[in-house]
Amino acid sequence: MVPWLTVVGIGEDGFFGLGRAARRALLDASIVFGGDRHLAMLPARIRARRESWPKPFDIAAIEGYRGTPVCVLASGDPMLFGVGATLARSIAPLEMHMIPGPSSLSLAAARLGWPLQDISIVSLVGRPLATLNSHVREGARVLVLSRDGTSPFEIAALLSERGYGATSMNVFENLGGTRERRIDAKAETWQEEAVGALNIVALECRAGTDAGTSLPSTNGLPDSAFLNDGQLTKRDVRAVTLARLAPAPGALLWDIGAGCGSIGIEWMRSHPACKAIAIESNPRRQAFIAHNRDALGVPGLQLIEGRAPDALSGLPVPDAIFIGGGVTVPGVLEACWSSLREGGRLVANAVTLQGEAALVDWRNRHGGTLTRIAISEAAPLGGFDAWRAALPITLLEVTKTTEATEAAEGTGAAKAAECTKGTGAAQETQATPAERTASSEPI
């Protein structure tokens, strides 16, 4: 198949900075799509009709010209936070020819002498400033794609507030063009409220005495990292739980009865592509989640105000589900199981006897593993120390398979018959009034 669409990466040096193949594609094109700034870089001898991107942005018009020689102009490398990735989701690779140019990230790294493979990259284009928080730690080198000319000022304020005022900031405007400019300062002394709209910020993070301890990138953050009212999956149990949930790039987690959001937040911190939805009914805890997700650098965590199972309707299909409280609430386990994709993982924790009974019953019907987690910590006892045991946690881990589902359906009728006879097993799965009140127990 001969490509009909050519995506050309163009820099601040414009048409005359392009290679021969890119110039030829533009000369042969019938239509050229791009932003107003890029289209203005083309010389008069480019006879193609010029089409500015619609607002709001949409690529639908391009697909209508399939079979016609079309060019798209993009900044630098089209596949690095660029329009190339958007096009590739709708147009087959064999229909496109990509001609990338040097990205602003490559140019900035070259100016600084920084190896790109050792640098964290953050885009604030269409993303909250809080996205930067998960990358700020002592010694980290970060390249930030700014949203606009006010981004450096906002970044400096964020760093200073977090105790990283000593961080070196190198701001590059209009990289690769005749108007290129570099501004160097510390975050705590940054004063320019606005710079050129096309800028990239390089950070070499330095923590001050008021910065506190840098958080690790591994699961099991200190409990103190989360604003909470006690409804928190504690550090060691949280680390075990996340290991069983096994986050993978691009995977979606439902965090049921999210409390302060610790499980969903750490799921998303494990990889930039991980996604999570926190379901929480308590208004105060919803506020904790909103604070914690920003403070810990995952503002993309989606918060659903409501109570399972009713709040689960219409949500995207999850790859994993965690139930931190309320496993005895009628319909919660069933709704989660039916919503989970084939091959997905369900992990549930319980601290009460009734909750444990519900998990045992579920394991009997659907398989999986049960694990008892008992943790003790040394604490003062008179003039000595003694072990203080936390309440043991029962953890259920089960993977949804066709075989498990069919087996459960086969035993469902028998279970229903037992329940109608008033057996104790039926009553064990019902929530007590006290447990309904504390459906998100601190575990």
Side-chain angles (χ1 to χ4, degrees):
M1 177 181 291
V2 177
W4 56 272
L5 175 62
T6 303
V7 185
V8 174
I10 191 168
E12 282 298 290
D13 49 2
F15 180 79
F16 297 100
L18 298 176
R20 179 178 297 178
R23 293 190 193 187
R24 184 75 264 164
L26 288 164
L27 287 166
D28 292 343
S30 299
I31 305 165
V32 179
F33 285 86
D36 293 338
R37 181 175 63 89
H38 290 148
L39 293 174
M41 294 177 176
L42 300 180
R45 70 172 182 269
I46 303 297
R47 300 298 185 184
R49 180 156 54 88
R50 306 179 189 195
E51 292 280 352
S52 296
W53 291 121
K55 296 179 181 179
F57 177 80
D58 190 2
I59 65 167
I62 292 177
E63 297 187 67
Y65 292 102
R66 183 174 264 101
T68 302
V70 176
C71 269
V72 167
L73 293 176
S75 295
D77 184 345
M79 295 302 291
L80 185 63
F81 295 103
V83 70
T86 304
L87 291 166
R89 287 193 286 268
S90 301
I91 299 173
L94 292 178
E95 297 183 71
M96 289 190 294
H97 179 42
M98 293 277 183
I99 307 178
S103 70
S104 58
L105 296 169
S106 296
L107 292 173
R111 304 289 190 270
L112 294 162
W114 289 1
L116 268 173
Q117 68 270 17
D118 298 333
I119 300 169
S120 296
I121 296 171
V122 179
S123 175
L124 296 183
V125 180
R127 297 172 177 84
L129 180 66
T131 305
L132 182 59
N133 279 329
S134 62
H135 300 271
V136 176
R137 59 179 61 88
E138 173 63 30
R141 287 177 169 178
V142 187
L143 288 177
V144 185
L145 293 167
S146 291
R147 177 178 57 253
D148 54 34
T150 65
S151 294
F153 184 80
E154 295 172 355
I155 291 169
L158 180 148
L159 292 168
S160 298
E161 183 180 348
R162 291 197 54 182
Y164 281 81
T167 295
S168 296
M169 292 181 58
N170 311 108
V171 177
F172 297 94
E173 298 176 345
N174 305 304
L175 269 167
T178 57
R179 298 178 298 133
E180 181 175 320
R181 183 171 76 122
R182 172 173 172 169
I183 310 168
D184 300 329
K186 301 291 186 185
E188 60 197 2
T189 61
W190 187 270
Q191 296 188 5
E192 298 199 42
E193 294 189 11
V195 300
L198 294 175
N199 73 83
I200 187 169
V201 183
L203 306 174
E204 192 158 15
C205 297
R206 289 289 176 263
T209 55
D210 57 340
T213 305
S214 292
L215 295 176
S217 57
T218 54
N219 289 330
L221 296 180
D223 293 345
S224 59
F226 301 93
L227 193 63
N228 69 89
D229 61 355
Q231 300 300 312
L232 167 72
T233 302
K234 301 301 189 294
R235 180 178 194 171
D236 297 310
V237 175
R238 191 182 336 121
V240 173
T241 299
L242 283 156
R244 299 300 184 91
L245 286 167
L252 171 64
L253 170 75
W254 285 1
D255 184 1
I256 310 293
C260 69
S262 62
I263 293 291
I265 287 169
E266 291 214 42
W267 170 279
M268 290 186 66
R269 280 173 59 92
S270 66
H271 191 276
C274 282
K275 297 168 288 187
I277 299 174
I279 294 92
E280 176 56 55
S281 61
N282 184 293
R284 188 181 182 204
R285 293 171 193 157
Q286 292 163 13
F288 290 152
I289 294 171
H291 171 274
N292 292 332
R293 67 184 177 186
D294 284 355
L296 294 170
V298 289
L301 173 70
Q302 183 180 354
L303 174 59
I304 299 295
E305 302 176 6
R307 188 184 301 275
D310 295 339
L312 308 181
S313 177
L315 298 182
V317 176
D319 301 285
I321 297 176
F322 172 64
I323 307 175
V327 295
T328 59
V329 175
V332 169
L333 279 165
E334 290 77 7
C336 289
W337 187 252
S338 64
S339 300
L340 189 64
R341 72 162 177 84
E342 182 76 9
R345 294 170 304 287
L346 172 67
V347 175
N349 291 354
V351 69
T352 65
L353 292 175
Q354 289 81 7
E356 182 177 275
L359 297 187
V360 170
D361 175 67
W362 191 264
R363 198 277 302 264
N364 289 340
R365 291 186 288 125
H366 295 275
T369 61
L370 285 171
T371 303
R372 170 71 62 87
I373 305 172
I375 297 172
S376 299
E377 292 187 355
L381 180 63
F384 300 91
D385 293 315
W387 292 110
R388 298 287 187 188
L391 289 172
I393 306 298
T394 300
L395 181 150
L396 168 71
E397 176 194 357
V398 58
T399 299
K400 185 175 181 178
T401 63
T402 302
E403 292 78 9
T405 302
E406 290 176 349
E409 290 174 350
T411 59
K415 292 286 183 181
E418 287 185 22
C419 292
T420 59
K421 295 176 183 178
T423 64
Q427 296 180 13
E428 283 182 342
T429 62
Q430 298 299 311
T432 65
E435 190 162 353
R436 289 194 187 98
T437 301
S439 62
S440 297
E441 299 173 71
I443 55 175

